[in-house]
């Protein structure tokens, strides 16, 4: 993060040989790929969408990326991260001021979360144990909006 703040972007990862310049612990190559991918997505969003919308969309995509990485790594999704995705999605809906877009956004909030909740409920009936965490339904609702 310090390298990005100094304007070096990911060149610092290459210069330091994939190790932290302070503690010399190795930084996984996936971190470099992750940052390059997110930067590419940010450039695409910035070029493709109107400025206020592109900022909100990039915020939502960045937070979603963080949620995905933390879930893959530790099987934990912080509800504050999910709330930030939902708030940015809601702000994008309000910004459009189009009734059809708002209806689709609300349906996107309800339908995916409802489907995942239904699957989780069926799994619990069949197997007698939980198949999904509560955060999964909230994440689907936030992505849907």
């Amino acid at each position: 993060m310090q390298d990005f703040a100094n304007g070096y972007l990911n060149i610092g990862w290459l210069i330091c040989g994939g190790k932290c310049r302070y503690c010399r612990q190795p930084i996984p190559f996936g971190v470099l790929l992750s940052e390059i991918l997110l930067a590419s997505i940010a450039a695409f969003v910035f070029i493709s969408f109107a400025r206020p919308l592109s900022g909100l969309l990039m915020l939502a995509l960045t937070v979603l990326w963080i949620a995905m990485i933390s879930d893959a790594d530790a099987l934990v999704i912080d509800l504050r991260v999910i709330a930030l995705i939902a708030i940015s999605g809601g702000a994008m809906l309000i910004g459009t001021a189009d009734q059809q877009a708002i209806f689709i956004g609300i349906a996107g909030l309800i339908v995916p979360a409802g489907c995942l909740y239904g699957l989780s409920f069926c799994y619990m009936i069949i197997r007698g144990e939980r198949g999904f965490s509560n955060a999964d339904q909230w994440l689907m609702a936030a992505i849907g909006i």
Side-chain angles (χ1 to χ4, degrees), residues 15-89:
I15 291 171
C16 292
K19 295 183 180 180
C20 175
R21 76 172 148 176
Y22 301 109
C23 66
R24 303 304 300 158
Q25 291 293 318
I27 300 172
F29 184 70
V31 171
L32 175 67
L33 294 179
S34 174
E35 290 181 5
I36 290 171
L37 179 66
L38 198 56
S40 302
I41 291 170
F44 172 77
V45 166
F46 187 74
I47 291 169
S48 301
F49 295 95
R51 293 305 173 250
L53 184 62
S54 66
L56 288 170
L57 185 57
M58 204 50 232
L59 173 67
L61 289 173
T62 302
V63 173
L64 182 60
W65 188 262
I66 292 167
M68 183 185 76
I69 297 297
S70 69
D71 190 33
D73 185 44
L75 298 177
V76 174
I77 303 174
D78 190 347
L79 290 179
R80 293 174 295 189
V81 170
I82 295 171
L84 193 54
I85 295 169
I87 289 168
S88 60

Side-chain angles (χ1 to χ4, degrees), residues 61-128:
L61 289 173
T62 302
V63 173
L64 182 60
W65 188 262
I66 292 167
M68 183 185 76
I69 297 297
S70 69
D71 190 33
D73 185 44
L75 298 177
V76 174
I77 303 174
D78 190 347
L79 290 179
R80 293 174 295 189
V81 170
I82 295 171
L84 193 54
I85 295 169
I87 289 168
S88 60
M92 283 187 273
L93 279 181
I94 292 169
T96 63
D98 180 13
Q99 286 183 339
Q100 184 178 6
I102 292 172
F103 175 76
I104 291 171
I106 292 171
L109 175 81
I110 295 169
V111 172
C115 290
L116 196 57
Y117 181 79
L119 283 172
S120 178
F121 184 74
C122 291
Y123 186 87
M124 186 183 292
I125 289 174
I126 293 169
R127 300 285 307 257

